[in-house]
Amino acid sequence: MIPSIKNNININKIKYKYFLFNSNDLKNLIKNNSLLIRSFQNIMIEHRNNPNFKIDKLIEEEKKIAPEKVNYFIIFKDNNLVSCARLIYKNNSKSCYLNMIHTSKKYRNQGMCKKTLNKLIILTNNKFNKYELEVEENNIPAIKCYEKVGFVLDKKYKYNNINVNLMVYNLWK
């Protein structure tokens, strides 16, 4: 499990806070920071296009994955979530899977996604040498962002009748 990290980051000359945390921290945040959790829940509603989404759903998902293998990275300002990503350890390897990569609509086209992924990789590169993510083939803005970070197309496939690109970022090139 990656230890929790909380610090500041400057993006486009604006100061934000970031937090890398694990499943236990998520449960503590739910108890102790209702504003940040409400913002996190709202961004997940936006990301999943599900107006009924509740943060408890993430905790339930983690039970299926294994909570000790799940970490979240968020960038926020004034208890409002700006950008986030979820990192899931792969069994017995130096690779991980990224999902739930999302930037609030208010902060798009400002380099937030790129900064989120770059910072997450910097914070975890001592643990992983390969990062994988999936993106719908028609999500061109996301694909361009991931390519700017250094992700490359590994393969294409269909998942539930959706064309998906598996993209990979290797620290050891």
Side-chain angles (χ1 to χ4, degrees):
M1 192 176 279
I2 296 173
S4 298
I5 301 169
K6 189 173 185 178
N7 214 329
N8 296 317
I9 184 173
N10 286 314
I11 302 172
N12 303 328
K13 299 180 182 175
I14 299 172
K15 188 175 179 178
Y16 296 89
K17 292 182 184 286
Y18 68 80
F19 194 15
L20 175 63
F21 58 97
N22 59 42
S23 298
N24 291 330
D25 294 326
L26 177 61
K27 293 171 189 170
N28 289 330
L29 273 175
I30 289 171
K31 292 177 192 169
N32 300 318
N33 194 328
S34 61
L35 290 174
L36 186 57
I37 283 300
R38 192 174 315 123
S39 180
F40 193 22
Q41 185 166 284
N42 288 340
I43 208 167
M44 286 296 95
I45 287 169
E46 188 177 285
H47 174 69
R48 294 184 177 196
N49 198 21
N50 177 355
N52 299 316
F53 180 83
K54 299 288 182 214
I55 206 75
D56 296 345
K57 178 93 170 136
L58 287 179
I59 294 169
E60 287 302 312
E61 287 176 11
E62 289 173 6
K63 288 178 184 173
K64 294 175 189 168
I65 299 168
E68 67 278 4
K69 295 182 180 183
V70 179
N71 282 265
Y72 298 91
F73 181 71
I74 60 173
I75 294 178
F76 59 100
K77 184 168 180 51
D78 303 323
N79 284 320
N80 290 308
L81 201 71
V82 172
S83 187
C84 65
R86 180 166 66 176
L87 182 146
I88 302 170
Y89 296 45
K90 290 190 148 191
N91 288 336
N92 302 319
S93 80
K94 291 280 288 176
S95 66
C96 65
Y97 176 74
L98 299 173
N99 70 355
M100 285 182 21
I101 301 164
H102 189 79
T103 300
S104 176
K105 289 178 183 177
K106 178 180 173 183
Y107 293 94
R108 291 189 183 160
N109 301 314
Q110 299 176 35
M112 286 294 178
C113 181
K114 181 180 172 189
K115 292 282 188 183
T116 298
L117 292 174
N118 280 333
K119 190 66 175 177
L120 180 56
I121 290 167
I122 288 167
L123 291 171
T124 60
N125 68 11
N126 63 334
K127 192 130 180 113
F128 307 109
N129 56 30
K130 182 179 180 183
Y131 298 79
E132 298 176 341
L133 60 83
E134 295 170 314
V135 59
E136 289 183 25
E137 187 178 64
N138 63 355
N139 191 346
I140 304 304
I143 292 169
K144 286 182 180 180
C145 171
Y146 303 149
E147 288 173 341
K148 287 178 186 173
V149 172
F151 283 85
V152 295
L153 177 65
D154 185 57
K155 63 182 170 185
K156 295 180 178 217
Y157 52 90
K158 275 195 184 273
Y159 180 77
N160 290 339
N161 283 330
I162 298 170
N163 292 329
V164 175
N165 291 352
L166 176 67
M167 298 185 77
V168 176
Y169 178 93
N170 285 305
L171 289 172
W172 310 104
K173 301 190 183 200

